[in-house]
Amino acid sequence: MNAQDSQHDRVPHTIEPTAYTPTGTTQAETGAGLRRLWVLVPALLAVLVLGFLFSARSVTFAGTESRVTAKSDALLPITLGGVHLLLPGSYKVTATADGYFDYEGPVEISGGRNQVVELPFEPLPGLLSLNSQPEGAEVLLLGTPIGTTPLVDAEVRPGPAVITVTKPRYQTAELSLNVEGRQKRQQASVVLEPDWAEVTLTSEPAGASILIDGEATGVVTPGVVEALSGEREFAVALENHQTVRQRLFVTAQQAEAIGPLLLKRADRELVFESQPSGVGITLNGAYQGETPLTLALDSQTIYRLRGYKAGYRDYSQTLRLAALDEDRVSIRLTRETGTLIVRTQPANAVVKVNDRPVPNADDGVRELTLPTGRQKVSVTLDGYAAYTTVLSPKAGLTQELRVKLLTVEEARRAALKPTLETAAGQRLVLVEPQGALTLGASRREPGRRANEVLREAALKRLFYLSEAEVTNAEFQAFSANHDSGSFEDQALNKPEQPVSSVSWIDAALYCNWLSKRDSLQPFYRIELGKLTGVNNASTGYRLPTEAEWRYAANQVAAEDEPLRFPWGARLPPPDRFGNYADRSASNLVGRIIFGYNDNYIAAAPVKSYKPNLLNLYDLSGNVAEWAHDFYGIPDGSTATDPLGPESGEYHVIKGSSWMHGTVVDLRLAYRDYGLDGRRDVGFRLARYAEAP
C-alpha cells in the first residue's frame, strides 16, 4: 500500500438514513391486517355473549303472591321482564315484595332450565285496631301489653293470635284472631261484661254501715252495694251494737240479698290477746277474727269462747261479761307434740328440723319430739344429694322417717325418667351406656367394607331413643303434603308405616319442630335449608349418632358374645325376626335371604316385630335410618360421645332395610351414606337426657 492510499483510508464516510420496510410486508398489507382485527373483536364478543346466553339459566324469583323485585351479584346481571339470566352457581340476592320484609341471602342456581327459586320472605306485621265497651281496657298479646282501648294500628305478627282484654271490675275477654300481616288493617271489638253483682243488705236496727272484706263502702242499711265476684265477707256495724258478719260467694251479675241481720246491743268492749298471736276466736260458734282483736259485746250475754291455732290444743272458756273486772282476755295455748324417729344412711348424715340441726347419733337413729303442724326435715352429707321433706307430726303418735342418701351421681340418674313421651305421643327410652363401644369391623370379617374402620368410642352422656321409627302419620303432622309413595305397586305411605323418602335435612327440621312443640331448645341450627351448626348443650330432639345407634342395636345378654348380625353370628335370621328382603320380595329387589319369611313384602307397620333388650323396635330391618353424623372415612382414633365429622356433604345411614338381603348390608357394622330421600330410608328420634 502506498502513502496516498493510506491517506485516503483515513477520510471518514457519511452514513445516509433509509426507510425500513419489513421483509415481504407492505404498508397496504399492514392496514388490511388491522382492519381484519377490528372485524374479529365484535365477532369474538358476539361469540362470548352467545355462549353466555346458551349456558345461562332462566331464573324467576318468587316466594309470595306479590310481585318480587330481585337483584343478584352476578358479573353480568341480565334481567328481562323479571326473568334473570344466570349461570349455574351460588349468588347473593337482595329482593323486595310488597307487604314483606326485604330479603337478602344466598341462593343456589342449578343446571335446570326455567327455574323458579322460592325466597323465604317473612311477612310484615298486621295492623290491629280494637275497640271495647267500656273503653280504657288493657290489651295483651301472649301476656304482653300492647296498648289500651281504643287501640289503633298496633303491629301484630302474622298468624293465629289470642288477644286478652282486661279492665278492673270487668270480666276478662279473649279474642282468637288470624292476623293476616303484610301491613293489612284488621278491626275487632269486644263488650266487657261486669264482674260484680248487686247485693242488698238490711239490718235491725237500720242505719248500720256496710263493709265488704273489711273495707267501708259508704253505704248504710238498707242499701245496695256492688260486690266483685268470688267469696266475700259482708259486715254491718252500728255504734253500741255487735258487728255481724256473713260470708257469701258472689256470682257476677247475679243479684243477692242478705238480711235482715239482727244487731245486738253492745255496751262493753273487750280486747282479746294470746300467746302465740294469730289465734282464731269464735264466740257462741261465730267466727270473730284473729288475736289481737277488739270486740264490742253485750254485757248481759253469756259467751262460749273458743281459741284455736294449728299445732296447739284448743282453748275454751265461758265468758260472763258482768262478772269480769277487766276489759282484757288473755289466752295461752299449749303446744301439741308428736314423736318422729328419723333413721339415716349413712349414719353420720346431718338432720335438721326447720333448718335447725339436731344432735348426731352413732347408729343413725334420732328420736325427736316435735310440735304438731307442718315441719320441714332435711338430711344432708357432703358428697351426697340432699333430701328434704315436709311432714306433720300427730299429737300422741309416733311416726318414722327412713332416709337413704344417694351419691350425687346416683341421685342424678334416679331423677331421670326411664321413658319420655313427646308432644306427638312418641315414646322414648332412656339408654345408659356401659363400658367402651367398638365401631366398625375387623378386616377378616366377611362382607366388610373399606369405610368400616375398626375403632373405639366411649359414650358418657345418657340419651333417649324413640322406641320406634317415625311413622308417616307422625311426620305428616309436620309436613301435611309429604307422601312416602310406593314401590312396584307396594304402598309405603300408610299411616302406621315408617316415613320414607325424606332427606336428612327434612328429618332434622322435624326434630326442631318437635322440640319447639315440647318447649325444648332446638338442637339443629338450619338456615335456608342447610345445616349451619348444632347446639350440643341442647336436650332437644335430634337424630341418633352413629355410635349411639350401634350401641343400642348391639344389645345382648351378659352371657352372649357380641353380635355380628342383629340376631347373632350367622345367616339366616330366625323367621319373622325383622323386615328384610325375604322370599316374598324376590320380584322387587335383586338379592334376598333365601328361605327367609317375615310376612311383609315392603315396609311393615312399626312395632310389627319383637323389640330388642332395650325395648327398641326395628333397629334392623323395615327402613334404614338416618344418623346425625356427616359421612367420612374414620381415622381409627378413640372418641368420647362422638358426633362425627364437623362438616361434609353426605350423612351416615345405619341399619338394613326391607330391600336388603346380603351379608354386606345385613351386618351391624354396615355404613351407608346419602343426602336425599330414599324409599327405604327413614329415621328415629334421639335426645340427650341432660345438658353437659
Side-chain angles (χ1 to χ4, degrees):
M1 178 182 298
N2 55 32
Q4 190 176 3
D5 292 336
S6 298
Q7 185 178 6
H8 176 76
D9 290 341
R10 289 194 295 270
V11 177
H13 295 282
T14 301
I15 301 174
E16 297 294 336
T18 61
Y20 170 75
T21 301
T23 303
T25 304
T26 66
Q27 288 185 341
E29 290 173 332
T30 300
L34 291 174
R35 286 192 296 273
R36 283 195 297 271
L37 181 60
W38 284 109
V39 171
L40 287 174
V41 169
L44 181 60
L45 290 175
V47 170
L48 292 175
V49 171
L50 288 174
F52 172 80
L53 294 175
F54 180 79
S55 302
R57 300 296 183 255
S58 298
V59 179
T60 302
F61 293 107
T64 76
E65 67 276 19
S66 302
R67 177 183 173 84
V68 175
T69 302
K71 295 181 180 179
S72 71
D73 60 354
L75 186 60
L76 293 175
I78 299 177
T79 305
L80 301 172
V83 177
H84 300 255
L85 297 181
L86 297 171
L87 295 173
S90 299
Y91 296 89
K92 182 179 180 181
V93 170
T94 57
T96 60
D98 291 341
Y100 295 84
F101 288 103
D102 292 348
Y103 171 79
E104 180 175 340
V107 297
E108 194 76 23
I109 305 303
S110 66
R113 297 188 177 276
N114 300 322
Q115 300 177 47
V116 177
V117 177
E118 298 284 339
L119 300 178
F121 281 99
E122 181 180 350
L124 290 167
L127 301 177
L128 176 65
S129 296
L130 179 66
N131 295 320
S132 72
Q133 293 182 0
E135 295 182 345
E138 185 176 32
V139 183
L140 300 96
L141 173 63
L142 296 177
T144 301
I146 60 173
T148 57
T149 58
L151 186 70
V152 179
D153 286 349
E155 291 195 341
V156 181
R157 292 183 61 182
V162 177
I163 306 295
T164 304
V165 185
T166 66
K167 185 177 175 66
R169 297 181 56 79
Y170 288 86
Q171 298 180 43
T172 298
E174 279 193 355
L175 296 175
S176 295
L177 303 174
N178 186 33
V179 180
E180 294 184 47
R182 294 173 290 165
Q183 295 292 286
K184 291 187 178 181
R185 286 184 165 85
Q186 291 177 257
Q187 182 80 31
S189 61
V190 63
V191 176
L192 299 178
E193 298 291 337
D195 194 31
W196 72 83
E198 291 185 344
V199 180
T200 302
L201 290 96
T202 58
S203 68
E204 293 181 3
S209 299
I210 300 174
L211 298 87
I212 301 177
D213 293 335
E215 297 290 333
T217 64
V219 180
V220 297
T221 59
V224 179
V225 293
E226 293 179 349
L228 292 176
S229 63
E231 187 176 6
R232 305 293 171 196
E233 182 188 73
F234 295 86
V236 290
L238 184 63
E239 188 177 2
N240 296 325
H241 289 76
Q242 296 180 23
T243 298
V244 177
R245 296 176 175 83
Q246 184 167 325
R247 301 192 75 82
L248 176 69
F249 191 89
V250 178
T251 301
Q253 304 181 67
Q254 182 174 317
E256 298 280 357
I258 299 176
L261 299 175
L262 300 179
L263 300 179
K264 295 182 179 180
R265 289 192 59 82
D267 55 5
R268 187 164 181 183
E269 193 173 78
L270 282 186
V271 176
F272 293 83
E273 56 188 14
S274 68
Q275 290 185 358
S277 61
V279 172
I281 299 296
T282 65
L283 294 177
N284 293 341
Y287 176 75
Q288 305 297 322
E290 291 186 350
T291 59
L293 181 66
T294 301
L295 297 174
L297 302 174
D298 180 12
S299 61
Q300 301 304 312
T301 301
I302 298 175
Y303 295 97
R304 296 187 307 276
L305 165 65
R306 175 176 173 257
Y308 61 91
K309 186 179 177 70
Y312 294 83
R313 294 176 185 168
D314 285 358
Y315 175 89
S316 61
Q317 181 183 351
T318 299
L319 291 179
R320 292 180 172 84
L321 272 63
L324 289 178
D325 296 329
E326 297 183 0
D327 292 332
R328 188 173 301 273
V329 176
S330 296
I331 300 171
R332 182 182 296 273
L333 299 187
T334 302
R335 269 284 194 187
E336 286 188 322
T337 61
T339 300
L340 176 65
I341 297 176
V342 182
R343 302 179 185 273
T344 65
Q345 290 183 7
N348 61 337
V350 177
V351 178
K352 294 181 180 180
V353 176
N354 298 327
D355 298 325
R356 295 181 179 180
V358 301
N360 285 337
D362 294 338
D363 59 356
V365 180
R366 300 160 181 84
E367 185 172 326
L368 309 174
T369 300
L370 301 176
T372 58
R374 291 168 60 86
Q375 309 291 329
K376 184 178 80 169
V377 180
S378 62
V379 183
T380 60
L381 186 63
D382 289 345
Y384 291 81
Y387 172 85
T388 301
T389 189
V390 175
L391 46 79
S392 297
K394 305 298 181 183
L397 297 179
T398 298
Q399 296 172 281
E400 186 170 306
L401 176 64
R402 295 176 178 267
V403 178
K404 180 180 179 181
L405 294 181
L406 302 176
T407 65
V408 174
E409 180 65 18
E410 290 171 339
R412 180 178 68 85
R413 296 202 175 205
L416 296 174
K417 297 180 180 180
T419 60
L420 295 176
E421 188 169 297
T422 72
Q426 297 134 314
R427 188 166 176 264
L428 277 72
V429 176
L430 179 65
V431 181
E432 302 183 54
Q434 304 289 331
L437 168 68
T438 299
L439 297 172
S442 167
R443 293 177 182 273
R444 295 187 296 273
E445 181 174 299
R448 179 189 184 274
R449 303 174 74 200
N451 65 3
E452 299 168 10
V453 177
L454 201 62
R455 60 202 187 279
E456 296 291 320
L459 296 179
K460 300 295 186 183
R461 296 184 68 177
L462 279 65
F463 61 95
Y464 288 93
L465 275 184
S466 59
E467 63 178 8
E469 294 155 339
V470 175
T471 66
N472 285 308
E474 291 163 350
F475 190 82
Q476 286 161 2
F478 158 69
S479 178
N481 295 325
H482 177 77
D483 186 351
S484 293
S486 61
F487 184 73
E488 299 292 340
D489 297 328
Q490 293 297 315
L492 302 176
N493 198 46
K494 294 179 180 178
E496 68 278 8
Q497 288 177 304
V499 68
S500 60
S501 297
V502 289
S503 67
W504 186 94
I505 203 71
D506 290 336
L509 286 169
Y510 177 85
C511 292
N512 278 4
W513 170 78
L514 192 58
S515 295
K516 291 178 181 177
R517 287 194 63 188
D518 275 349
S519 301
L520 299 172
Q521 193 172 22
F523 186 82
Y524 293 108
R525 298 189 182 101
I526 298 174
E527 296 180 7
L528 299 177
K530 291 187 177 181
L531 178 69
T532 60
V534 299
N535 181 2
N536 198 28
S538 165
T539 57
Y541 299 108
R542 57 178 174 81
L543 299 169
T545 67
E546 181 177 4
E548 290 170 342
W549 189 97
R550 180 68 184 273
Y551 180 86
N554 201 44
Q555 295 301 304
V556 294
E559 65 275 9
D560 294 337
E561 61 184 26
L563 300 175
R564 179 185 173 204
F565 299 102
W567 56 85
R570 296 177 180 81
L571 282 167
D575 267 1
R576 298 176 181 82
F577 180 86
N579 187 14
Y580 309 108
D582 67 347
R583 60 194 181 202
S584 65
S586 59
N587 294 328
L588 300 183
V589 298
R591 299 287 297 276
I592 66 170
I593 307 172
F594 291 104
Y596 178 68
N597 178 39
D598 57 37
N599 281 357
Y600 288 95
I601 299 175
V606 299
K607 300 185 184 180
S608 293
Y609 305 91
K610 290 183 179 180
N612 71 357
L613 293 180
L614 294 179
N615 284 323
L616 301 173
Y617 295 84
D618 299 324
L619 273 170
S620 67
N622 224 17
V623 290
E625 300 177 8
W626 286 115
H628 164 82
D629 312 43
F630 278 114
Y631 175 77
I633 305 298
D635 59 9
S637 60
T638 300
T640 299
D641 293 320
L643 289 172
E646 293 184 0
S647 61
E649 181 177 1
Y650 302 104
H651 287 271
V652 173
I653 298 172
K654 287 298 295 179
S656 48
S657 77
W658 58 268
M659 299 183 76
H660 290 147
T662 71
V663 68
V664 172
D665 45 39
L666 292 173
R667 296 171 305 112
L668 288 174
Y670 176 64
R671 302 177 78 227
D672 201 354
Y673 62 92
L675 183 63
D676 298 322
R678 246 171 46 188
R679 293 183 181 90
D680 70 328
V681 175
F683 67 100
R684 74 177 63 230
L685 300 170
R687 59 173 284 193
Y688 285 123
E690 52 196 351

